[in-house]
Amino acid sequence: MGRRLPVYLLIDTSGSMRGEPIESVKVGIEAMLSSLRQEPYALESVNISIITFDREIKVLAPLTPLEDFQLLDIKVPESGPTFTGAALELLCKQVDAEVRLSTPERKGDWMPLLFLLTDGKPSDIQAYNNVVPEVKKRHFASIVACAAGMHAKTEPLKQLTDQVFALDTLDSASFKKFFQWVSASIEIGNKSIGATDELELPPPPEEVNVIV
């Protein structure tokens, strides 16, 4: 079995993502999968997991090879909290269970990538603050956080990563551009693994604002 590039997507499915926003996210993810499947390198090594979070945290898909990946329906409750901290706690457990480490007998997986998309702020701020150092211990090659919409808060995301981006709107055009950019980032990560520990992301599209 070859070395894998694990890619984790954490998707906020709290109440304000109902309707067009979550449908737009699904369209964006499908476009991302389609784009990646046209890349032979990606098809060989990229494995994707999706974790959704609102008042409940769900592993929508465990780490799955790109060619076998099927996007299941993403449900959004009518209202409720955004448990980002609990989602990151589950992420750490999934990474520990799924990502293969190197041993004297075999090479492990490449360092994983994490993309977190939220339209709010953590409701469980204490759990969030506690888990951020744990996430950083998992040696992600890159952590990208995206705050979508006018109510999303970027400050908590800056604790997690210095790669924080914002989408002003929750429409399909913005999400499609965002996931096209995620796809390009994964492709670059896939081609550069082994050459460098630092993943240089491609420049984001104009709909995606860099938060300094």
Side-chain angles (χ1 to χ4, degrees):
M1 189 178 282
R3 300 180 80 177
R4 305 176 303 174
L5 176 62
V7 177
Y8 287 89
L9 298 178
L10 263 64
I11 309 290
D12 182 347
T13 46
S14 56
S16 51
M17 290 291 285
R18 279 178 75 79
E20 188 193 352
I22 202 63
E23 292 305 318
S24 302
V25 165
K26 287 190 267 189
V27 169
I29 292 174
E30 289 286 13
M32 178 195 79
L33 294 170
S34 175
S35 173
L36 286 172
R37 284 177 177 139
Q38 293 167 34
E39 284 285 327
Y41 282 130
L43 212 48
E44 274 181 28
S45 59
V46 170
N47 281 239
I48 294 178
S49 169
I50 295 182
I51 295 172
T52 60
F53 61 100
D54 43 71
R55 68 165 75 95
E56 288 184 56
I57 318 300
K58 298 189 191 91
V59 179
L60 195 70
L63 203 60
T64 304
L66 178 60
E67 61 181 348
D68 300 328
F69 191 90
Q70 302 261 320
L71 181 62
L72 301 177
D73 193 29
I74 302 176
K75 300 277 198 294
V76 176
E78 288 192 16
S79 62
T82 304
F83 287 146
T84 318
L88 291 173
E89 287 169 6
L90 180 57
L91 168 73
C92 289
K93 289 178 184 169
Q94 292 298 111
V95 168
D96 291 347
E98 294 175 332
V99 176
R100 296 193 293 258
L101 301 176
S102 292
T103 68
E105 292 78 38
R106 65 150 202 235
K107 287 188 171 179
D109 293 328
W110 303 108
M111 289 190 296
L113 307 179
L114 170 60
F115 296 91
L116 185 152
L117 176 67
T118 181
D119 73 334
K121 64 179 180 179
S123 303
D124 54 347
I125 194 68
Q126 187 67 48
Y128 180 85
N129 291 340
N130 290 341
V131 78
V132 164
E134 291 302 313
V135 175
K136 292 180 178 179
K137 287 180 192 171
R138 267 57 187 187
H139 301 298
F140 284 92
S142 183
I143 298 176
V144 173
C146 180
M150 302 308 289
H151 303 296
K153 297 284 184 274
T154 58
E155 290 77 14
L157 299 176
K158 289 182 188 172
Q159 293 173 238
L160 182 66
T161 176
D162 56 5
Q163 297 184 106
V164 178
F165 302 87
L167 290 172
D168 291 336
T169 60
L170 297 172
D171 61 16
S172 58
S174 294
F175 279 127
K176 191 167 183 187
K177 279 284 188 347
F178 173 70
F179 281 106
Q180 282 173 345
W181 178 65
V182 170
S183 173
S185 301
I186 294 170
E187 287 169 24
I188 284 181
N190 198 50
K191 289 172 183 171
S192 68
I193 45 184
T196 173
D197 285 344
E198 283 296 313
L199 175 59
E200 284 290 324
L201 296 177
E206 59 185 36
E207 289 86 351
V208 179
N209 305 311
V210 182
I211 305 299
V212 180

